[in-house]
Amino acid sequence: MTTTDQISGVFAALADPTRRAILARLARGEATVNELAAPFPISAQAVSKHLNVLEKAGLIVRTREAQWRRCRIEPAPLRDVASWVAQYRLLWEERYDTLGTYLDDLQKEQP
Amino acid sequence: MNTIAISTPSPTELVMSRTFDAPKALVWAAHTQAEHLRHWWGRGNPLDVTIDFRVGGTWRFVETADGQEHPFRGEFLEISAPDTFTWTFEYEPMAGHVAVDTYVFTEEAGRTTVTSTTRFDTQADRDGMMQSGMEQGANQSYAALDAYLIKIG
């Protein structure tokens, strides 16, 4: 999978507020499906579907210890998305930092 | 460091806001006059500036980076000095994908905030402009992602 395709998958996964809430919860630590489903007015089955999407996007991994199936967040794809956003921001920050410096110089020239 | 605030109020819009420690007249001049633009718009790269700053006038900036020329061009649609102007923005190698940028300049206590709103024909154009190649799902996600990354960071 190319990075671009993966970023598309990550954004598609993040486009749902329930899935973002699940990630926010997992950012605080591992949890079981039942624990994840508790705050939501939807079934554990519906939460499982969301987990499938997150897993496919590479944002979570599911582990199996004894009979407990736990989920944990996988930060790498989020870092890819963050650096993608950062590239665009960087372009403008470089441009605007140059402007900031230039404006300083201009003001020093003016008595 | 002074950073740009970015938001995406709709799937085809991109809003960026940045504050400068300079009076509005100067920041306005820096955005609208060739003698100033060539000092910063190229981000330190050589920049060739052609600008006819009046409604209906055109502009063309050619930035040379890594031995390659990157030509940008457009037309001024609205000007209300020194508060706001609107131009079209097109990267020539991607001709036909025309964005419309509105710049608004506001001054407070000698500091000037520049807010640009870029409107694209389609979400695909916006995403293409952001050099991602991604297709869907970006709309409300950036703002949420920003907040989310801060939360987990």
Side-chain angles (χ1 to χ4, degrees):
Chain A
M1 192 189 255
T2 67
T3 304
T4 298
D5 286 342
Q6 189 172 15
I7 287 174
S8 300
V10 171
F11 272 116
L14 290 173
D16 183 275
T18 301
R19 291 197 287 269
R20 290 199 297 273
I22 290 171
L23 279 180
R25 165 66 187 83
L26 289 176
R28 300 201 306 269
E30 290 188 9
T32 63
V33 175
N34 282 338
E35 285 165 351
L36 287 173
F40 299 109
I42 53 173
S43 66
Q45 200 181 2
V47 168
S48 284
K49 282 186 184 169
H50 285 306
L51 292 175
N52 288 338
V53 176
L54 290 168
E55 192 173 41
K56 211 172 154 210
L59 287 164
I60 64 164
V61 291
R62 287 194 261 195
T63 57
R64 196 183 283 279
E65 292 163 15
Q67 72 269 46
W68 299 104
R69 198 155 190 217
R70 303 185 70 83
C71 305
R72 69 175 160 78
I73 194 163
E74 182 53 64
L78 277 175
R79 274 201 299 270
D80 289 345
V81 169
S83 65
W84 170 82
V85 172
Q87 271 178 23
Y88 186 70
R89 189 189 293 263
L90 189 67
L91 181 86
W92 279 96
E93 275 177 2
E94 277 180 19
R95 187 164 280 156
Y96 271 172
D97 284 347
T98 311
L99 174 59
T101 308
Y102 179 59
L103 289 168
D104 285 346
D105 291 347
L106 276 180
Q107 289 183 97
K108 276 176 206 150
E109 282 170 21
Q110 289 170 356
Chain B
M1 196 179 80
N2 203 342
T3 56
I4 298 177
I6 297 182
S7 64
T8 49
S10 83
T12 55
E13 286 177 302
L14 178 71
V15 177
M16 295 191 289
S17 190
R18 168 62 147 94
T19 300
F20 297 95
D21 198 8
K24 185 160 88 167
L26 200 57
V27 181
W28 172 267
H31 278 78
T32 58
Q33 295 174 13
E35 57 169 308
H36 295 307
L37 282 161
R38 61 173 64 98
H39 287 279
W40 67 271
W41 208 89
R43 305 172 291 139
N45 296 316
L47 186 77
D48 184 45
V49 175
T50 311
I51 185 168
D52 180 11
F53 189 65
R54 59 188 171 86
V55 173
T58 58
W59 63 273
R60 187 168 187 264
F61 302 162
V62 182
E63 180 180 344
T64 304
D66 306 321
Q68 268 201 307
E69 290 195 341
H70 298 277
F72 302 84
R73 69 178 179 208
E75 178 184 341
F76 291 98
L77 302 180
E78 286 177 48
I79 296 174
S80 178
D83 301 312
T84 179
F85 72 84
T86 300
W87 71 6
T88 62
F89 183 99
E90 195 176 2
Y91 180 50
E92 285 183 17
M94 296 220 12
H97 296 269
V98 182
V100 177
D101 297 337
T102 297
Y103 289 85
V104 176
F105 300 76
T106 53
E107 182 175 325
E108 203 181 316
R111 287 163 62 81
T112 303
T113 299
V114 182
T115 302
S116 68
T117 301
T118 302
R119 295 176 184 85
F120 300 91
D121 280 345
T122 62
Q123 185 179 345
D125 271 4
R126 182 190 69 182
D127 297 343
M129 180 67 80
M130 292 171 83
Q131 295 175 345
S132 69
M134 69 181 216
E135 297 92 9
Q136 292 171 349
N139 40 334
Q140 287 105 20
S141 297
Y142 303 148
L145 178 63
D146 273 345
Y148 180 67
L149 290 171
I150 289 164
K151 204 151 109 187
I152 66 169

